[in-house]
Amino acid sequence: MEETPLLTQKKQLTSLLAFVGFALSITHPAQAQDGNALVKKMVQTYKAYNTFSETSEAKIVMLGAPSQIQSTTFKFQKPSKFFVQTSDPQSGTLSIYSDGTQVTIFGGRQNIFTRRDYAGSFVSTVRTYEKVAKEMLDMNITQILSPISFMTAGENGLREAKSFKFLGTKAVNGRTTNMVLSPVDLEWLTSIVGRQNFLPDKCQVKLYIDKETNLLIHSVIQFLWQSKVQRPGVKDKIVIQGMVLDERHRNQVMDKPIDANVFRFAPQPGSKEVFRETR
C-alpha cells in the first residue's frame, strides 16, 4: 500500500537525530541584554575548547504520536577528532567516529557501517557524514542545537535560528541561565521537512545558556505547519503537523584529556561494511 505524504513526513521527522518546558519562573534583570550577543558568546565558547564532552537527553513529541526519549554522548578533540552516539526507540543506536583521518558511521540496528576518508575541516567533515548517512543508511542525522551545531556555525550565526531576544533569567538544575528566544529559520527548517505552510508564531527556538560557563543547559525547539493529505476519491484535507524537541545537557567537561581510543571504530561481530559505489 502506498504511503500517504503525511505518513512519510512522520517517518522522516522521527528519524531526526538531534544531537534536543515551557514552564516559566522568570526574574527580569534591571538591564536588558542582547540575545544575539549572548548566543554569539555561547558559540565562541564552544569553538574555543580544545576538548569537550557531554551527555544529553531529549524528549521528542510529535503531534498525534507517542513521545520518545533520545540520549546522546558527545566527545570532541581539536582539530577533528570526535565521537557521537545517539540512541532512540525509532532509529536505534547510531555512532559516528572520527580519528582525524577517517570518519565511520555505524548503524547499530542494521549492524552496518560505512567509512570515509577525512574530508578536510571539521565543518566539511560534519556536512559529509550528514550526507553519507542519508544516502547510504537512509538516516537523517542533521545536527539540531547540539555542540556540533555550535562548533560548525558560520559568521551568520546558527543554522536553526538567527534573531534572538533576551527574555530574562531562570534557574535550571541549580544553575542561573540566560533565556533567549528566536523564530526558527524557515530556510533551514524547509531543508529538513520540505516545503510546508508553516504556522506564524509557532516555529521557535528557546535556549537556556549558563551565565557562568556560557554553555547551553536546556533547549526547546518547536515547529508547526499545515499539510495537505490527498487520497484517491476523497476530498483533500488540511491537517496540522509538528513536533517539539526538549533537550537537557549534562556532564559537561571542558579541556580535559580524552582517551584516543574513543575516536576509533572497531567493527562489531557480524557487522557489514557498506562500500561507496564506484563507476
Side-chain angles (χ1 to χ4, degrees):
M1 181 175 66
E2 186 176 352
E3 291 185 344
T4 66
L6 179 59
L7 179 58
T8 300
Q9 290 167 2
K10 281 189 175 182
K11 291 178 66 178
Q12 290 174 341
L13 281 172
T14 52
S15 70
L16 286 174
L17 296 184
F19 299 68
V20 7
F22 291 97
L24 296 181
S25 176
I26 306 172
T27 59
H28 295 281
Q31 183 176 2
Q33 300 191 57
D34 183 335
N36 286 322
L38 290 170
V39 172
K40 183 177 180 180
K41 187 173 183 180
M42 177 191 72
V43 168
Q44 292 173 337
T45 298
Y46 279 95
K47 289 185 175 183
Y49 291 126
N50 291 310
T51 68
F52 180 82
S53 63
E54 71 160 34
T55 61
S56 61
E57 185 175 276
K59 182 179 181 180
I60 304 173
V61 181
M62 293 187 60
L63 290 181
S67 63
Q68 62 175 320
I69 300 298
Q70 182 182 84
S71 58
T72 299
T73 297
F74 174 68
K75 296 181 183 294
F76 169 80
Q77 179 176 311
K78 280 186 176 179
S80 57
K81 295 181 180 181
F82 64 89
F83 166 75
V84 57
Q85 184 175 77
T86 305
S87 300
D88 66 65
Q90 178 70 27
S91 303
T93 298
L94 179 74
S95 305
I96 303 169
Y97 302 77
S98 172
D99 63 5
T101 61
Q102 191 174 71
V103 178
T104 303
I105 305 170
F106 173 68
R109 175 163 292 176
Q110 306 95 325
N111 203 20
I112 59 177
F113 65 94
T114 187
R115 307 177 196 260
R116 291 292 184 274
D117 290 336
Y118 181 55
S121 68
F122 180 55
V123 174
S124 62
T125 300
V126 170
R127 301 294 178 253
T128 296
Y129 80 63
E130 289 179 343
K131 181 181 180 191
V132 170
K134 183 63 178 176
E135 292 178 349
M136 301 198 68
L137 304 180
D138 194 27
M139 291 183 174
N140 188 339
I141 56 175
T142 300
Q143 294 295 318
I144 300 178
L145 300 177
S146 70
I148 290 180
S149 175
F150 305 146
M151 291 175 180
T152 58
E155 293 183 359
N156 294 327
L158 304 182
R159 292 192 295 175
E160 299 91 338
K162 295 180 171 62
S163 301
F164 288 94
K165 64 179 181 180
F166 179 64
L167 298 183
T169 62
K170 181 181 179 181
V172 178
N173 296 332
R175 300 160 76 174
T176 302
T177 66
N178 289 315
M179 291 188 300
V180 294
L181 179 74
S182 170
V184 172
D185 185 87
L186 293 186
E187 181 178 351
W188 168 81
L189 186 54
T190 299
S191 71
I192 294 179
V193 303
R195 296 202 171 276
Q196 307 289 345
N197 182 18
F198 296 106
L199 299 179
D201 301 323
K202 296 298 182 182
C203 300
Q204 62 183 20
V205 170
K206 183 182 290 185
L207 306 180
Y208 300 77
I209 304 171
D210 190 311
K211 288 190 67 174
E212 182 177 351
T213 66
N214 298 313
L215 297 176
L216 183 65
I217 303 301
H218 182 199
S219 65
V220 180
I221 180 170
Q222 67 171 6
F223 37 93
L224 298 175
W225 67 89
Q226 295 178 343
S227 179
K228 182 183 292 186
V229 178
Q230 298 174 311
R231 296 176 182 173
V234 180
K235 184 179 179 180
D236 293 351
K237 181 180 180 181
I238 301 297
V239 298
I240 304 299
Q241 287 293 102
M243 67 186 304
V244 177
L245 294 87
D246 186 322
E247 185 170 35
R248 295 179 183 266
H249 300 260
R250 301 181 175 90
N251 304 315
Q252 294 164 320
V253 179
M254 298 77 77
D255 284 341
K256 300 293 184 182
I258 299 176
D259 185 350
N261 290 321
V262 168
F263 307 112
R264 301 190 184 109
F265 173 72
Q268 303 294 316
S271 61
K272 178 181 178 181
E273 183 170 5
V274 179
F275 294 94
R276 185 205 306 248
E277 289 187 6
T278 57
R279 300 181 184 273

